[in-house]
Amino acid sequence: MNVMETCGLGKRYRRNWALRDCSLTVPAGHVVALVGPNGAGKTTLLNLAAGLLRPTRGQVSVLGGEHPGSAAARSRIGFVSQDAPLYGHLPAGDMLHLARNLNLTWDGDRAQARLADLGIPLDRKVRQLSGGQRAQLALTIALAKRPEVLILDEPLASLDPLARHDFMGSLMAAVAEDSLSVVFSSHVVSELERIADYLVV
């Protein structure tokens, strides 16, 4: 199975193309790194694959032929972005409750146990968490869906080196535990080199 396939895929905003003529195949069972300069369309591609955007041109499918954004695709894909939609005024536990109500599948025990292992109190408000803790909360929410594929768009961008190291360690532990496929974009090339076994340029 391929976790992502595109053919002539493009996304245009008025006269400017954010992604153009993208054709690729991403096989399952890998940690895939997307590498390219700023403006190459990495974020646009991942948002299209997650069903958060609609293409202007071409085709994209996920998980062996599912339409991005469909109920079947949403329940099988976890998504973590640099600007993960975490609400600063809510405690971490309430963020888990909100996410539970927004997802078709949810493992609440796993989510709470993971935050406990990370030392993130459920009653602490998101805005009181460090950048690394917020990134871990976003990853916890994505993993609680028990996805087959995890899409990560620049999750390390605002983290210090120690938080990046901890995040990547947590990610690779989840990959090993759940046999996840991962599609990952980051400007932190050293981290991509450390975890990726498949490269898309």
Side-chain angles (χ1 to χ4, degrees), residues 146-188:
R146 292 286 185 181
E148 296 175 37
V149 179
L150 195 58
I151 296 176
L152 301 112
D153 181 30
E154 297 286 354
L156 308 176
S158 61
L159 303 184
D160 62 53
L162 180 59
R164 286 200 301 263
H165 179 79
D166 290 345
F167 182 92
M168 297 309 294
S170 293
L171 172 63
M172 295 314 294
V175 169
E177 180 181 347
D178 296 345
S179 301
L180 285 172
S181 299
V182 178
V183 183
F184 193 102
S185 75
S186 174
H187 287 101
V188 186

Side-chain angles (χ1 to χ4, degrees), residues 1-2 9-10 16 23 27 29-30 34 46 50 78 82 93 95 100 103-104 106-107 158 162-163 174 190 198:
M1 180 184 74
N2 292 320
L9 185 64
N16 297 317
S23 297
H30 293 279
L34 293 181
L46 294 182
Q82 177 182 351
M95 277 301 312
R100 181 192 70 194
N103 287 287
L104 298 175
W106 185 256
D107 188 339
S158 61
L162 180 59
S190 60
Y198 195 95

